[in-house]
Amino acid sequence: MPKAALSPSSQQIEISFSSLAAAASYTSKRIDLQLNPLDQEVFVVTAVKLDLDPIGLTPLNLFGAGGVGNNKLYGGSCALTRTESASALSNLGANTCFATASSKLGTSEESQAGGDYAVSYAFQEDNSDTPSDMEYLTVIATNDFFVGLQAMTDGSVSGNMEVHGKVYGYRATASAAIYAALVQSEVISS
């Protein structure tokens, strides 16, 4: 949709949020945008920043959780969507998903003729960048967006996963036809 189809009604604003998922569980949190549907107000998302934090775990305290010959993986993933996914984490392949992030910690312990050795790694991926040729990530026409967070655990290692994030954007008004199309698109996609 061309940006000209929307009339900005605010300056850039940021919306901060946090969410926590217990070990090996999924949680979804609703973030209210307080839009005014009578004025056909929408929220234009221009950028997203997500920080995933595996609470209390580092690669060093994953070692020894299962002994030599065991690989351990712990981490989590987060997705921001325009509609709620109550039981499963969304991905960028879904129409309503506009940002994702993953963070994983892992170890591998092996035994060989000269002694045991261990390798640890940390991996973080953030798919919330606005492509350089786009003016915005998405337009949210309903009154909220959702933060889905999945904490994963492997073996005897467990812990919680926390996400801290910011969504940047501005409020805008749309014509009746565009507003109706945007709302219908979100409702049908849920």
Side-chain angles (χ1 to χ4, degrees), residues 16 46 65 124 135 149 157:
S16 300
T46 56
Q124 190 151 7
E135 297 172 345
L149 182 60
V157 177

Side-chain angles (χ1 to χ4, degrees), residues 90-116:
S90 190
N91 60 54
L92 290 177
N95 290 348
T96 63
C97 183
F98 59 93
T100 63
S102 294
S103 178
K104 299 192 175 45
L105 300 170
T107 61
S108 177
E109 299 176 67
E110 300 295 333
S111 183
Q112 61 182 355
D116 297 340

Side-chain angles (χ1 to χ4, degrees), residues 101-184:
S102 294
S103 178
K104 299 192 175 45
L105 300 170
T107 61
S108 177
E109 299 176 67
E110 300 295 333
S111 183
Q112 61 182 355
D116 297 340
Y117 73 94
V119 176
S120 69
Y121 65 92
F123 167 78
Q124 190 151 7
E125 178 181 35
D126 187 357
N127 290 317
S128 57
D129 296 331
T130 306
S132 61
D133 60 340
M134 292 182 67
E135 297 172 345
Y136 56 88
L137 282 172
T138 194
V139 177
I140 302 172
T142 53
N143 216 20
D144 43 31
F145 68 92
F146 297 87
V147 179
L149 182 60
Q150 175 75 51
M152 59 178 260
T153 184
D154 184 9
S156 62
V157 177
S158 65
N160 299 333
M161 179 61 74
E162 191 169 23
V163 63
H164 307 281
K166 290 185 185 285
V167 171
Y168 301 90
Y170 58 90
R171 296 172 185 274
T173 55
S175 69
I178 290 175
Y179 182 76
L182 288 169
V183 170
Q184 181 180 15

Side-chain angles (χ1 to χ4, degrees), residues 29-43:
K29 183 175 184 179
R30 177 182 178 272
I31 308 297
D32 190 4
L33 293 171
Q34 300 178 354
L35 299 175
N36 184 351
L38 295 176
D39 291 337
Q40 299 153 347
E41 193 171 49
V42 298
F43 189 77

Side-chain angles (χ1 to χ4, degrees), residues 46-98:
T46 56
V48 174
K49 176 65 178 148
L50 298 171
D51 291 329
L52 286 168
D53 182 19
I55 298 173
L57 285 180
T58 64
L60 290 178
N61 64 7
L62 291 176
F63 287 122
V68 173
N70 287 308
N71 298 323
K72 298 294 173 198
L73 181 64
Y74 171 80
S77 297
C78 176
L80 300 185
T81 58
R82 292 178 293 167
T83 60
E84 185 171 25
S85 177
S87 62
L89 189 67
S90 190
N91 60 54
L92 290 177
N95 290 348
T96 63
C97 183
F98 59 93

